[in-house]
Structures are given as C-alpha cells and as structure tokens.
Amino acid sequence: MQKLLVVDEQPVMRVGIAHALQVAGMSVEVEGVGSAPEAITKLRAGGWDAAMIDIGLSDAGGMSFLSRVVKTHPDLAVLVFTAMPESPYGLRALRTGAAGFLHKSASSEVLADALGRVLSGRRYVSPVLAEQLADRMVNDSDRVPHELLTDREFEIFRLIALGMSIADIGEALKISPKTVHVHRSNILRKTGLADNRALTSYAFEHRLIPGRRSEDRESSGKEGAEPPST
C-alpha cells in the first residue's frame, strides 16, 4: 500500500483528507503532521510515496519549505494542497518541483484524482493553472515583477507585505536579520518598488496576500517592518 504524508496545520483538514480518500476507494495509507519540523523528521525516516503540503504553514517559509522537500527527496511525489491562490503560487510551485497544485476549494473527487495522478508519476494541473501555463508560454516577456524573484525572495516579500519586521522574518525563516535586509534590497531592486508601503500595496493588488482593511495596509509600511539603520 502506498503511503501519503499530509502536512497541514489544521487537524480537521488532515482527518478530512484521509476520509475523502477512503470514500474515493483509494488504497493509500495516510498519516498527518501539523508542522514543517514534524514533516522533515517523518520524511527523513523514509518509506513515503507522496506528500501533500500546505505552503501556508505558519512555522515555515512556504515556498522555501517546498523547495527543501523537493531537493532532499527527489523521488517523492509532492502535491501542494493549499488555500493560497493558484495565481501566482501554482506556477511557482510547479517551477519549484511540485508534481501538482490544488486549491483547498476543490471537491473530494478532484482531490482523489489529483493525488492518483501524482502517485502514478504524472502531474496534476487544474484547468485554471493550465491556462496560466499556456499564457506564460505565449507571453513569456510579459512576466510581472514578482515573478522575477527567487523562492526565498518571494517568501520574504510576502512576509514584509504582511507587516512582519526584519527581525521576526529572520527568526521565522532561521536566517539573520542582515540576510533578510539583503534580500529586501534585492526585492526592491527587482520589482522597482520604493519601500515597504509600496510592497504591501503591490502585494494586495496582485492578490499575493489576503485582503485587509485600508488602515491595516497603511500600518504595515511603518518603521517596524523597515530594516535597522546602519
């Protein structure tokens, strides 16, 4: 029997996935963990055929964690199952090495189909994501600025836009504040944006972060999220 590791912070989601696959008649052993460190420990033990990962984990840089899993376990079929929007996360996840990307709004039938595909060595791409891929092939020169960022830069971009300070980002991603500061400088250079306030506005307009009230968006550009002066 094939083994699936579900990485999701919500216990009800982990149980629900196992139930949905059982109802669909899939012969797969499902085990769930709620954090990135737990997932890393489980994966190191070996014996897994696939992993279903939510890149919205609060204790890990989503895309960076995905990249780490793909690089350290190249034979593992990874299906991203998340509430993050398909645009832009779907394309980025596929480029990182995921075998498929599925939004949590998908039905149980679609979930079973997607997992079945990746377990058989194929890829799962939703109709929405397939259209995005086709558009990108035709109009590759029209890439928006945030698509020029590396996975690490993109994750830091998102955390800055959410209002996190340089120190908090460093702690969350297990890197030094100085390294975060360097990434931030590269992000501003690549996107052509001026400061944290502009980053937040851009992220909101491109649906890279959840919608918030205007006063919240304004507060995220304050000094707390700026790098320390030198």
Side-chain angles (χ1 to χ4, degrees), residues 102-115:
L102 186 64
H103 193 268
K104 284 185 175 180
S105 61
S107 66
S108 297
E109 292 78 9
V110 173
L111 171 62
D113 177 59
L115 181 61

Side-chain angles (χ1 to χ4, degrees), residues 137-149:
M137 290 177 64
V138 175
N139 304 304
D140 190 57
S141 61
D142 296 335
R143 295 173 67 183
V144 289
H146 65 262
E147 292 183 352
L148 302 176
L149 304 177

Side-chain angles (χ1 to χ4, degrees), residues 24-224:
M26 294 191 67
S27 180
V28 57
E29 180 182 341
V30 181
E31 187 173 342
V33 294
S35 69
E38 288 179 284
I40 291 170
T41 299
K42 288 287 186 181
L43 290 172
R44 280 176 180 167
W48 302 97
D49 297 290
M52 188 177 293
I53 297 176
D54 181 3
I55 55 173
L57 293 171
S58 62
D59 68 341
M63 297 305 303
S64 298
F65 173 59
L66 173 62
S67 178
R68 178 178 179 180
V69 170
V70 169
K71 288 178 180 177
T72 55
H73 304 279
D75 296 328
L76 184 72
V78 178
L79 175 64
V80 173
F81 188 55
T82 183
M84 308 292 268
E86 286 184 291
S87 176
Y89 293 95
L91 289 176
R92 187 170 287 272
L94 293 179
R95 290 197 196 103
T96 300
F101 184 98
L102 186 64
H103 193 268
K104 284 185 175 180
S105 61
S107 66
S108 297
E109 292 78 9
V110 173
L111 171 62
D113 177 59
L115 181 61
R117 285 173 181 266
V118 300
L119 279 171
S120 65
R122 295 179 292 167
R123 293 185 178 275
Y124 175 79
V125 179
S126 71
V128 172
L129 195 51
E131 185 174 351
Q132 292 178 28
L133 286 168
D135 287 343
R136 180 61 60 234
M137 290 177 64
V138 175
N139 304 304
D140 190 57
S141 61
D142 296 335
R143 295 173 67 183
V144 289
H146 65 262
E147 292 183 352
L148 302 176
L149 304 177
T150 65
D151 288 339
R152 177 64 87 184
E153 289 168 348
F154 183 75
E155 189 62 29
I156 291 174
F157 174 99
R158 191 178 68 86
L159 295 178
I160 290 174
L162 288 170
M164 289 181 65
S165 69
I166 294 295
D168 287 342
I169 293 173
E171 182 176 353
L173 300 182
K174 305 297 186 295
I175 57 178
S176 71
K178 181 177 181 180
T179 300
V180 178
H181 186 16
V182 171
H183 281 305
R184 177 184 177 275
S185 297
N186 290 335
I187 291 166
L188 294 176
R189 174 178 55 80
K190 289 182 178 181
T191 60
L193 299 171
D195 52 28
N196 289 3
R197 188 186 298 274
L199 286 177
T200 302
S201 296
Y202 178 98
F204 178 73
E205 291 168 4
H206 288 80
R207 298 177 61 234
L208 305 181
I209 57 175
R212 293 177 293 167
R213 296 191 304 252
S214 59
E215 60 267 26
D216 292 331
R217 296 200 301 273
E218 290 176 1
S219 66
S220 64
K222 293 182 179 179
E223 292 181 0

